[in-house]
C-alpha cells in the first residue's frame, strides 16, 4: 500500500524477545483480524522460535512476517546464527538489521551490518535497516552526521538497483523503550536528511521510493502526528506492538 508520494506505508511491530511460539501465534491471529483491510503494509517481527507458528497463523493474510536479525553467512558452521535462506523457507519476507539493541548490547558495528544487508537482499528478503543517534550525539549537534555515517557504513556494498528494495528505520536511541519520542519536526528533519543522503548515493528516483520509518516509543497517541509528516512513511513499533489494540490503532492512522 502506498501514500500520495507512491511510497509504501509500512507499520512494523518488533516484538523483540517477547512471546513464546504459543503466545506469538495468538497475538498474530489478533493482529490479522484487527488489521484486515488496512491501508498500510503491516509487518510483524516475532522471535526466531515463533516464526513458524506465526507464519502458519498469517497464511493467506496481508500481514507480512519479519525476522529481527539474520546471519551475514549462508548455511554452515555458525553456531547460534540463522541464515537468510532459512528465514525465507519459513515465509519470512522482511528482516530488521542493525537494530540499536544489537549494536549496543551485542557490539554490532556498521561493518557487521553491511554483509547482513547483502545476505538478506541476496535471499530476496527486504531489509529494514535501523539507524539512529544517542542522546549525547544529538546534544552535541552530531545527529545527522552520525546517521549519515551509519548509512554509509551499513550500505557500503549496496548498489543503486538494490537500494530500491530497502527500507530504513530512523530510531533515535534515546527514544527506544523510554517513552520519550522525537517531535514530528525533529523526526521529519532527520528523514529529509536521510532521503537527501539516499538521493546523493543512489539517485532521486531511489530516494523518492525508499520507505523511511520512524521508531522510538511510537504509540496510538503520537502516531498520527508523526505519520502526518510527508517524509515519515511508517513506523517501527516496539512496546506498543505487543498490545493488539494499540498496534491496530497505530496501523489505522495510515489511510
Ligand atoms: P519502542 O521500540 O517502540 O518500544 O520504543 C522501538 C524499537 O526498538 O524498534
Amino acid at each position: 500500500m502506498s501514500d500520495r508520494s507512491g511510497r509504501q506505508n509500512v507499520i512494523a511491530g518488533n516484538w523483540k524477545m517477547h512471546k513464546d511460539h504459543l503466545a506469538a501465534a495468538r497475538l498474530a491471529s489478533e493482529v490479522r483480524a484487527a488489521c484486515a483491510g488496512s491501508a498500510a503494509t503491516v509487518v510483524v517481527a516475532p522471535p526466531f522460535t515463533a516464526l513458524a507458528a506465526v507464519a502458519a497463523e498469517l497464511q493467506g493474510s496481508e500481514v507480512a512476517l519479519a525476522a529481527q536479525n539474520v546471519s551475514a553467512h549462508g548455511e554452515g558452521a555458525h553456531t547460534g546464527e540463522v541464515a537468510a535462506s532459512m528465514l525465507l523457507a519459513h515465509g519470512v519476507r522482511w528482516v530488521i538489521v542493525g537494530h540499536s539493541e544489537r549494536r549496543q548490547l551485542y557490539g554490532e558495528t556498521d561493518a557487521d551490518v553491511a554483509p547482513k544487508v547483502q545476505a538478506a537482499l541476496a535471499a530476496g528478503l527486504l531489509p529494514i535497516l535501523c539507524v539512529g543517534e544517542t542522546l549525547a550525539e544529538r546534544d552535541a549537534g552530531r545527529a545527522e552526521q552520525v546517521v549519515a555515517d551509519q548509512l554509509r557504513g551499513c550500505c557500503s556494498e549496496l548498489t543503486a538497483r538494490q537500494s530500491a528494495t530497502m527500507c530504513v528505520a530512523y530510531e533515535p536511541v534515546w527514544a527506544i523503550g523510554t517513552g520519550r519520542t522525537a517531535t514530528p519536526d525533529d523526526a521529519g528533519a532527520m528523514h529529509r536528511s536521510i532521503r537527501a543522503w539516499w538521493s546523493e548515493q543512489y539517485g532521486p528516483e531511489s530516494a523518492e521510493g525508499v520507505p523511511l520509518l520512524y521508531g522510538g516509543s511510537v504509540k496510538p497517541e503520537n502516531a498520527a502526528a508523526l505519520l502526518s509528516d510527508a517524509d515519515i512513511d511508517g513506523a517501527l513499533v516496539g512496546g506498543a506492538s505487543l498490545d493488539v489494540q494499540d498496534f491496530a490503532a497505530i496501523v489505522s492512522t495510515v489511510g
Side-chain angles (χ1 to χ4, degrees), residues 14 16 99 101 171 175-178 215-218 236-240:
N14 175 9
K16 306 194 178 182
H99 190 278
E101 285 154 14
E171 298 206 305
I176 295 179
T178 58
S217 299
V218 175
L236 182 54
V237 186

Side-chain angles (χ1 to χ4, degrees), residues 110-128:
D110 296 337
D112 297 320
V113 177
K116 292 186 179 203
V117 169
Q118 287 303 314
L121 289 168
L125 298 174
L126 294 163
I128 302 175

